[in-house]
DNA sequence: CTATCATACGTTATATCATAACAGTCAAGG
DNA sequence: CCTTGACTGTTATGATATAACGTATGATAG
């Protein structure tokens, strides 16, 4: 199928060369600091996610990697993507079966994702308060929370205007 | 693959015959009230979800439906499950690629799900405060939220004790 | 009554997403 | 050297989900 890029119109956070470079260098800095091996495939995968300004499916990533001389089989993409997610350089968007570059890779953080049904953009929003509320709800049930998936579906600012 | 039932040890909410009957009759009452057609396949699918005391994959449901003389192909299960979700009788658990009966089908509600990594149980928790916080976060980004997926991963009360 | 229409149910076929298992490469350390 | 562990690549398969189409059934309009 044709490459379904989610997020052609991205949030200001990582639009433009400036934002992209900032994110990438923050990520590289943290990798160095933590002794994490941001190998060529992993780095390139991260660059692809950043350049996409939104979420990419594993097979979208694979297609690009393959075209650039990396491996051609699914595990190549899944391994790189899962490593990026595990180490906080990317996030998995479960509703879209897709992955997106972390917009704030310099710190550990809880994130929520705002998924626009109008333009398929995915925006990473700070989720401190949401996570606190969720932790509280979990505690009430005697449940000890490790991590959470928080994804909102709706319309971004631009698409609300367009439909009005 | 073997039938991976998530949630052999369920929350008190819908454990036991009593809870199951309550949920089922609440669901039937609401279907009647709203003029929704809870047809045999749909009803049976809901019963299966309730009886599972946790989340079932679509193919788990399909296997049981097929064994009882209903259709044998994936769309049969997916249609019933999607209908139940659309009308608030069930929820989709994205992290597990699975579905679970709504524990409170009598009212419209925002729910969060507590997924235990120890016993694979899935508990539906009230998420009013979480949803409010998320709506607030979305608003700050100019995003108009329609609905949300909120899933926490961690350990249920029983499994915390077991590991201690 | 009977034609028409909408909804639901069933099928076949295919698309999409993800992982298991194993082989080759290469750098670090003994 | 030669082992070891991390990484990359492969083949093959498994798991999840939907498109497209035909049939049955029940309601409604003529
Ligand atoms: Zn992030
Ligand atoms: Zn939009
Ligand atoms: Zn519910
Ligand atoms: Zn548990």
């Amino acid at each position: 199928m044709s490459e379904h890029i989610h997020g052609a119109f991205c949030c200001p956070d990582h639009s433009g060369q400036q934002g992209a470079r900032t994110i990438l260098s923050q990520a590289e800095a943290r990798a160095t600091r933590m002794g994490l091996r941001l190998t060529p495939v992993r780095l390139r995968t991260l660059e692809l996610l950043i350049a996409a300004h939104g979420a990419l499916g594993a097979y979208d990533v694979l297609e690009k990697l393959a075209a650039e001389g990396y491996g051609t089989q699914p595990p190549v993409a899944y391994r790189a993507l899962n490593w990026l997610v595990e180490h906080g350089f990317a996030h998995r968007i479960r509703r879209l079966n897709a992955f997106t570059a972390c917009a704030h890779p310099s710190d550990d953080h809880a994130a929520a994702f705002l998924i626009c049904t109008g333009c398929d953009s995915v925006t990473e929003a700070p989720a401190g308060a949401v996570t606190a509320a969720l932790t509280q709800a979990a505690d009430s049930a005697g449940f000890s929370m490790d991590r959470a998936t928080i994804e909102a579906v709706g319309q971004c600012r631009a698409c609300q205007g367009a439909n009005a």
Side-chain angles (χ1 to χ4, degrees), chain A:
Chain A
M1 167 172 286
S2 82
E3 136 181 356
H4 54 175
I5 297 181
H6 303 289
F9 312 100
C10 191
C11 59
D13 269 3
H14 42 114
S15 292
Q17 287 294 351
Q18 199 116 26
R21 287 221 193 91
T22 302
I23 292 176
L24 192 55
S25 51
Q26 278 182 17
E28 286 178 312
R30 193 157 71 84
T32 303
R33 178 156 32 95
M34 314 269 286
L36 300 172
R37 295 182 52 189
L38 200 45
T39 62
V41 206
R42 293 170 182 167
L43 176 59
R44 188 66 192 123
T45 300
L46 178 55
E47 288 172 353
L48 290 170
L49 291 181
I50 292 171
H53 290 297
L56 287 181
Y59 280 76
D60 295 332
V61 169
L62 178 59
E63 195 178 337
K64 291 169 197 267
L65 289 177
E68 297 179 14
Y70 295 98
T72 62
Q73 301 307 314
V76 170
Y78 279 102
R79 275 198 292 244
L81 290 165
N82 286 331
W83 186 92
L84 291 170
V85 170
E86 272 164 26
H87 295 89
F89 299 108
H91 299 284
R92 186 167 197 156
I93 311 298
R94 304 213 82 113
R95 178 170 291 266
L96 301 176
N97 292 325
F99 300 82
T100 190
C102 176
H104 310 288
S106 55
D107 54 10
D108 252 338
H109 57 274
F113 298 92
L114 311 178
I115 303 169
C116 179
T117 53
C119 63
D120 288 329
S121 67
V122 176
T123 303
E124 179 172 350
V130 184
T131 302
L134 182 51
T135 302
Q136 168 63 39
D139 283 350
S140 300
F143 186 93
S144 160
M145 184 174 89
D146 292 336
R147 62 216 129 79
T149 298
I150 300 169
E151 298 176 0
V153 176
Q155 309 242 147
C156 72
R157 200 193 314 263
C159 289
Q160 288 170 65
N163 281 3

